[in-house]
Amino acid sequence: MKLGKLRRKDVPRCVEIEKVLFAVDDPWSARAFHSELESGAYYLGAYSSEDVLIGYAGLAVVGPRGDYEASIHTIGVDPGYQGQGVGTALLRALLDRADELRAPVFLEVRTDNHRAQELYRRHGFERIGLRKRYYHPSGADAYTMMRPGASEQEVG
């Protein structure tokens, strides 16, 4: 597996994976992925040795220089590749980018997605809030989680 910049040609495969992973919660459309890529957000793809997209992840950064905040918009891994470190590799790459900017990182995760919550906890995230009926159309709740920004000593 290798990581690289998510390519426009990968969008149909992203949509295919989304429909499997998030079928009950309004999976992202091709238009949503294109919009994210056009926004300048940091998007990565995970690719098999045959150059097939097996996962993707995106990080948005906002705020003035020196006072950035980052938000993980999505992480998705083809079910056939889950449990093989793909999600962890994508998350670490997003966190490396946030650490370069010394930005705290925020995300939302379904309250019933214990596997993802544990992954985030292992990487320094703590639960800071609850968003009732965050996901649509299912109405599932989400936890907001946050990881503090890296200090200068940690980065340099």
Side-chain angles (χ1 to χ4, degrees), residues 26-90:
D26 196 22
W28 283 17
S29 65
R31 183 176 179 183
F33 277 102
H34 284 294
S35 177
E36 286 289 300
L37 292 174
E38 290 167 13
S39 76
Y42 183 69
Y43 270 77
L44 296 172
Y47 301 91
S48 71
S49 57
E50 296 82 27
D51 199 38
V52 173
L53 182 77
I54 59 174
Y56 52 87
L59 181 79
V61 178
V62 298
R65 176 174 232 144
D67 197 22
Y68 294 119
E69 287 187 2
S71 178
I72 294 178
H73 282 188
T74 189
I75 296 179
V77 176
D78 181 308
Y81 292 89
Q82 290 179 2
Q84 298 178 30
V86 177
T88 298
L90 286 164

Side-chain angles (χ1 to χ4, degrees), residues 9 63 85 95 101 104 112 117 131:
K9 73 177 192 173
L95 296 177
L101 301 170
D112 61 356
Q117 290 172 46
R131 293 183 177 224

